[in-house]
Amino acid sequence: MTDVTQYAGSATDGSASLGPSVIPAGDPRYASLLRGQNHRFVPKPDYVHIVTNTAQVIDAVNQAVSAAKRVVVRSGGHCFEDFAASPDIEVLIDLSEMNSVFYDAERRAFAIEPGSTLGHVYTVLFKRWGVTIPAGECTEVGAGGHLAGGGYGPLSRRYGSVVDYLYAVEVVVVDESGTARAVVATSEADDPHRDLWWAHTGGGGGSFGVVTRYWVRSPGATSDDPTELLPKAPSRWRTEYMMWPWDSLDEETFTKIMHNYAGWFEANSDPDSPYANLSGFFHGPGRTGAVLVGASVDDDLPDARELMAAYFEAMQKDVGVEPQTMAGPVQPWLYTVSFPGFGDLGDHMTRRFKMKAAYLRKGYTDAQISTIHKYLTSQDADPSLILIGYGGNVNKVEPAATATVQRDSIFKVMVISVWADEAEDEERLARNREFYRDIYAETGGVPVPGEVSDGAYINYPDADLADPEWNTSGVPWHTLYWKDNYPRLQEVKKRYDPRDVFRHRMSIRLPE
Ligand SMILES: Cc1cc2nc3c(=O)[nH]c(=O)nc-3n(C[C@H](O)[C@H](O)[C@H](O)COP(=O)(O)OP(=O)(O)OC[C@H]3O[C@@H](n4cnc5c(N)ncnc54)[C@H](O)[C@@H]3O)c2cc1C
């Protein structure tokens, strides 16, 4: 493929017609446009540049670069760290109004603009074509950062990571002379820009340029009928839970539940397993909550109920403490993936987060479970430990085939703290950090790739991995995220962003 000359975003392909809008500090609109989801970070750019098509992005980047201003881009604003909200940012390019989703017959693929929320993507794909992508559960996340970072969700065990469906990407990059241009990079073997496509299959946002469009379709799909170019969306979605209040558990019974949970995923995470159709999670909150195991499944599958029943039977085996069970509603699919309660909540809600993450190839060791038990039972609420079932069809893909290198894990782990009041920052952060460090005490406080762990997930970024106080493993943060794929990502960086225009605290570094 060649560089594009006809940029995306004309009125005919559905892009918003709102023109570019430059909103400087002092403008009455300015304060409303600074923050993303995590209110711990508030940037103070000279101006916010709202853009709605590729030509406007090129102009916005050229203006910033020629004025030697530090520029970053934000799409859905759901970054857990300050990548799009650090204090040194001078220009914030806001892509949230660039949010069309449509079928591109020429490329035989669905085009997704970066400002589209996942809920909007699911809604359009479903209403028009009855198809979907295996992306995130949280419907207000933006496609811009999510796809580039290797997003996953409740359909990933069944269908793979969302990046396994990425066919092409349009990126505004800046050359050595400081001039911006748009490049379309595809997965085609003979595409001279194929490496740029590859870098967007898990290399993370904010490192190479501004993504102005993604195109998705099922790998190997040959049809030109759009209804056959992505997985069929479920019609109804079944969710069930099993719960043990903390006061009914001791360390032994808690350990048993964790072993049951991990053992089930160790045994049932092959791509061919019928249980790859099932998504599951474990939620361990502090002592005011309850230990929760859940699962959900496409209710149209003929064996949906049997799969669920077998899963929950395995979860309670030999625990010896009767759980409470709850069947969630069997919901129409679109209720699940575009539930209105997931929208922008405004400032009155809890919006301060600290996330730490890891991959697990198998269940935690008894020593780790003992640490987890100690922390969770000695605190009221935060942080929680969440283990989301992964693997299945994600693990069909070779580690080097995409930038998403972890391809034999069975869990994504989150250690997450959520609070409302800035005054609690220090205490909440300390607890979160100490908990995680102690889980990984044997490997320098971080999930060093090995028999049990396999590094961390860039879409749940954690700046502490680059801090020698919290990472004493000697393994650099970029190895935890990308392992052997990192040098290739650095080569792509050198070729497409030689001036390191697009950078943040965990962006891909230029090779030395
Ligand atoms: C409440 C919540 C729920 C989540 N749920 C899930 C989930 O279910 N599954 C999952 O996999 N992840 C999930 N995530 C993580 C999410 O995938 C990442 O935070 C993702 O990077 C967010 O993308 P964004 O566009 O919303 O964020 P932004 O903050 O806008 O961007 C994140 C990063 O990508 C860069 N970026 C954004 N847009 C572009 C672009 N167009 N071109 C180049 N770089 C860009 C930014 O500069 C920044 O570095 C969740 C996050 C939150 C806060």
Side-chain angles (χ1 to χ4, degrees):
M1 283 291 150
T2 51
D3 296 1
V4 291
T5 47
Q6 281 293 313
Y7 300 126
S10 68
T12 52
D13 65 21
S15 292
S17 55
L18 180 79
S21 186
V22 172
I23 299 177
D27 186 290
R29 295 165 293 178
Y30 180 78
S32 291
L33 299 169
L34 298 180
R35 296 193 283 193
Q37 167 79 5
N38 193 345
H39 285 187
R40 283 175 55 214
F41 308 114
V42 186
K44 298 270 182 294
D46 299 351
Y47 59 91
V48 180
H49 204 143
I50 298 177
V51 289
T52 53
N53 62 39
T54 305
Q56 291 173 13
V57 173
I58 292 173
D59 285 348
V61 171
N62 274 333
Q63 278 172 39
V65 172
S66 61
K69 288 193 185 290
R70 165 110 169 79
V71 58
V72 300
V73 53
R74 187 181 67 202
S75 290
H78 269 59
C79 191
F80 283 104
E81 288 288 356
D82 69 351
F83 298 173
S86 58
D88 59 334
I89 290 169
E90 293 169 301
V91 176
L92 176 61
I93 299 181
D94 179 338
L95 294 167
S96 56
E97 298 302 326
M98 199 165 162
N99 54 16
S100 292
V101 177
F102 57 98
Y103 181 62
D104 179 343
E106 204 179 310
R107 287 208 159 82
R108 263 191 336 105
F110 295 91
I112 298 174
E113 291 189 333
S116 317
T117 61
L118 297 182
H120 180 59
V121 175
Y122 297 141
T123 302
V124 175
L125 292 178
F126 183 81
K127 283 186 176 167
R128 185 84 195 270
W129 300 281
V131 297
T132 195
I133 49 173
E137 182 167 17
C138 299
T139 56
E140 79 279 28
V141 163
H146 183 74
L147 268 68
Y152 80 106
L155 289 174
S156 286
R157 281 172 51 84
R158 183 172 180 186
Y159 292 124
S161 163
V162 71
V163 299
D164 302 335
Y165 292 76
L166 185 65
Y167 168 64
V169 61
E170 180 184 77
V171 195
V172 171
V173 295
V174 177
D175 66 17
E176 193 73 69
S177 75
T179 308
R181 73 188 199 285
V183 177
V184 173
T186 74
S187 63
E188 302 288 350
D190 60 352
D191 186 338
H193 295 299
R194 192 174 188 278
D195 268 2
L196 187 61
W197 161 82
W198 179 86
H200 285 85
T201 58
S207 276
F208 307 101
V210 183
V211 174
T212 42
R213 186 167 295 184
Y214 293 107
W215 285 266
V216 294
R217 72 163 180 240
S218 295
T222 50
S223 170
D224 51 16
D225 173 356
T227 65
E228 291 175 7
L229 288 176
L230 282 175
K232 295 268 176 271
S235 161
R236 288 168 309 156
W237 193 244
R238 171 180 293 274
T239 306
E240 294 176 14
Y241 310 91
M242 188 164 270
M243 190 174 85
W244 291 266
W246 268 118
D247 57 15
S248 69
L249 298 176
D250 56 17
E251 184 167 344
E252 195 185 332
T253 45
F254 174 74
T255 304
K256 188 74 208 161
I257 295 167
M258 287 211 79
H259 280 316
N260 283 350
Y261 182 71
W264 188 91
F265 280 92
E266 286 167 14
N268 296 298
S269 294
D270 286 347
D272 299 334
S273 164
Y275 290 104
N277 290 323
L278 204 92
S279 78
F281 70 89
F282 167 94
H283 184 198
R287 64 186 165 204
T288 51
V291 173
L292 192 71
V293 171
S296 45
V297 70
D298 175 352
D299 202 47
D300 295 339
L301 292 170
D303 54 353
R305 285 168 190 235
E306 288 75 19
L307 294 174
M308 284 292 231
Y311 171 89
F312 282 110
E313 195 182 320
M315 293 306 136
Q316 57 185 317
K317 189 162 187 291
D318 298 333
V319 175
V321 180
E322 199 60 30
Q324 297 169 19
T325 53
M326 287 177 296
V330 179
Q331 286 187 321
W333 171 247
L334 207 55
Y335 288 18
T336 310
V337 295
S338 64
F339 190 64
F342 282 99
D344 189 335
L345 300 174
D347 196 24
H348 60 291
M349 297 296 285
T350 306
R351 296 284 282 265
R352 305 181 86 78
F353 293 90
K354 177 62 188 170
M355 174 73 110
K356 287 173 157 302
Y359 284 98
L360 279 178
R361 289 176 151 142
K362 54 199 279 196
Y364 280 127
T365 64
D366 282 344
Q368 289 175 307
I369 294 174
S370 181
T371 303
I372 291 164
H373 182 262
K374 185 184 86 184
Y375 271 88
L376 294 182
T377 52
S378 62
Q379 61 187 33
D380 283 342
D382 278 339
S384 293
L385 175 79
I386 301 176
L387 269 62
I388 309 255
Y390 196 55
N393 281 282
V394 171
N395 291 353
K396 234 173 32 188
V397 176
E398 289 301 312
T402 66
T404 301
V405 70
Q406 288 86 0
R407 294 291 187 166
D408 62 6
S409 283
I410 55 168
F411 296 120
K412 296 232 195 199
V413 177
M414 302 180 212
V415 171
I416 184 164
S417 301
V418 187
W419 66 102
D421 186 352
E422 187 176 356
E424 293 176 25
D425 280 10
E426 203 177 316
E427 184 201 334
R428 299 279 188 152
L429 289 170
R431 275 220 305 266
N432 183 295
R433 287 170 168 149
E434 286 160 12
F435 182 25
Y436 183 88
R437 177 198 60 198
D438 289 359
I439 295 174
Y440 295 104
E442 283 187 16
T443 50
V446 298
V448 173
E451 201 190 334
V452 175
S453 294
D454 200 20
Y457 174 38
I458 192 61
N459 261 345
Y460 297 157
D462 171 16
D464 300 336
L465 297 184
D467 181 342
E469 188 187 344
W470 297 103
N471 176 1
T472 56
S473 68
V475 177
W477 60 273
H478 47 79
T479 302
L480 296 173
Y481 287 122
W482 296 290
K483 302 199 294 180
D484 292 346
N485 282 346
Y486 188 62
R488 184 171 170 195
L489 286 166
Q490 288 187 286
E491 288 307 315
V492 180
K493 174 79 177 175
K494 185 166 119 188
R495 180 171 167 202
Y496 290 97
D497 186 23
R499 296 161 59 114
D500 200 16
V501 169
F502 300 99
R503 63 183 186 276
H504 53 72
R505 60 171 83 230
M506 299 185 118
S507 55
I508 306 295
R509 306 291 193 249
L510 286 164
E512 290 182 1

